[in-house]
Amino acid sequence: IGEVLRRGLNNNDKKKSLQKGPQIDFDQDGIPKLGSIMKVLPAKTFDVDTKTSLFYFGVDTLACVASLGMLNTVVTCDAYQHLQMWQQALTVAPLQLLAGFAMWCQWCIGHDAGHSLISKKYKFLNDVVGEISHSMFCLTPFVPWQLSHRKHHTYHNQ
């Protein structure tokens, strides 16, 4: 992406005068600067829609509960217990993948909550969603993760 941006949108390019709107600035290594990328994106990109966020949180929660419930039902049934180990592994593999994907989705929603992107108006919703998605489903205590993640964003690439 960096090379494409350098070739097509570099401020030092002779086509600069032909380009309209915000320009993408590059650092000394030719990497686009975050601030200039943010300026060329539509403002709507940064809107936070609480209803949509909560909808996805609900879908992800339902997916976790359903996939983990199905997995538990399978591994605790008598028929499963009588299968050979390789048959057991093949039986649960699709459910394990489904449950893993659902839990990854929960982690992503918790990550958004950590950045206060669930709701700008009702800030407590970020904490509730983060606690449920990270602490309960992903077994990662939300508040300590949020604090360490904030440090990560403050000091990354240094």
Side-chain angles (χ1 to χ4, degrees), residues 5-32:
L5 290 173
R6 269 193 297 282
R7 277 189 269 125
L9 298 172
N10 192 331
N11 282 341
N12 298 325
D13 194 321
K14 294 177 183 177
K15 297 178 184 179
K16 179 180 177 186
S17 60
L18 300 175
Q19 295 176 355
K20 296 180 181 178
Q23 303 293 310
I24 294 183
D25 294 322
F26 297 85
D27 66 13
Q28 61 200 22
D29 297 323
I31 298 172

Side-chain angles (χ1 to χ4, degrees), residues 49-108:
D49 185 352
T50 303
K51 287 181 183 177
T52 301
S53 297
L54 292 176
F55 170 76
Y56 283 117
F57 173 63
V59 168
D60 293 344
T61 300
L62 182 62
C64 270
V65 169
S67 60
L68 292 171
M70 287 187 293
L71 189 57
N72 183 59
T73 300
V74 169
V75 300
T76 57
C77 77
D78 289 336
Y80 177 82
Q81 301 302 324
H82 292 91
L83 296 174
Q84 293 180 9
M85 186 179 287
W86 69 269
Q87 292 171 317
Q88 288 179 341
L90 288 177
T91 301
V92 296
L95 291 173
Q96 289 173 324
L97 289 172
L98 183 63
F101 178 73
M103 291 178 73
W104 172 73
C105 291
Q106 277 289 357
W107 189 92
C108 290

